[in-house]
């Protein structure tokens, strides 16, 4: 396997791991309403803000990315950020209909 193919394979593993988490164990543990519930709670904390489930997912991804500033090798944060961004996409596409 070439170095480029190995990098592509690693990216595929990261995407598949994030997909498995957001459609499997995390969804089972937290439910489909977790981010909408967090958005509602944040609206109460920040009443002048336009907080949506998609923006909540993006904010959570930003948290994971900020953590990487101190520990770039923490792959769990990378996977979680990918997952949160996928959920942000899901909420955005859902609202486009």
């Amino acid at each position: 396997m070439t170095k480029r193919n190995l990098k592509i394979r690693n990216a595929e593993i990261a995407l598949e791991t994030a997909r498995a988490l957001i459609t499997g164990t995390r969804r089972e543990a937290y439910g489909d309403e977790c981010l909408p519930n967090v958005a509602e709670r944040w609206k109460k904390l920040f009443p002048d803000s336009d907080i949506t489930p998609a923006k909540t997912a993006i904010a959570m991804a930003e948290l994971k990315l900020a953590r990487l500033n101190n520990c770039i090798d923490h792959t769990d944060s990378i996977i979680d950020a990918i997952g949160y961004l996928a959920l942000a996409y899901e909420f955005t596409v859902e609202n486009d209909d």
Side-chain angles (χ1 to χ4, degrees), residues 54-97:
K55 289 179 182 178
T56 301
I58 291 168
M60 295 301 292
E62 288 289 351
L63 170 72
K64 296 297 183 170
L65 295 173
R67 288 179 175 174
L68 290 171
N69 284 335
N70 292 329
C71 187
I72 191 65
D73 296 334
H74 194 253
T75 57
D76 284 351
S77 289
I78 295 169
I79 299 298
D80 287 346
I82 292 167
Y84 280 122
L85 291 173
L87 290 170
Y89 179 82
E90 181 179 295
F91 284 113
T92 301
V93 171
E94 200 173 86
N95 290 329
D96 284 347
D97 294 340

Side-chain angles (χ1 to χ4, degrees), residues 4-26:
R4 175 171 161 60
N5 287 344
L6 184 58
K7 286 181 182 181
I8 291 170
R9 181 66 188 130
N10 287 340
E12 290 171 346
I13 290 168
L15 291 169
E16 177 54 31
T17 302
R19 187 205 62 76
L21 288 172
I22 66 172
T23 62
T25 56
R26 300 271 170 83

Side-chain angles (χ1 to χ4, degrees), residues 16-69:
E16 177 54 31
T17 302
R19 187 205 62 76
L21 288 172
I22 66 172
T23 62
T25 56
R26 300 271 170 83
R27 185 162 275 173
E28 289 170 13
Y30 303 124
D32 288 333
E33 295 301 311
C34 183
L35 286 172
N37 289 339
V38 172
E40 288 303 314
R41 295 174 69 90
W42 285 2
K43 284 179 188 178
K44 291 175 184 167
L45 283 172
F46 311 107
D48 296 331
S49 298
D50 178 30
I51 297 173
T52 65
K55 289 179 182 178
T56 301
I58 291 168
M60 295 301 292
E62 288 289 351
L63 170 72
K64 296 297 183 170
L65 295 173
R67 288 179 175 174
L68 290 171
N69 284 335

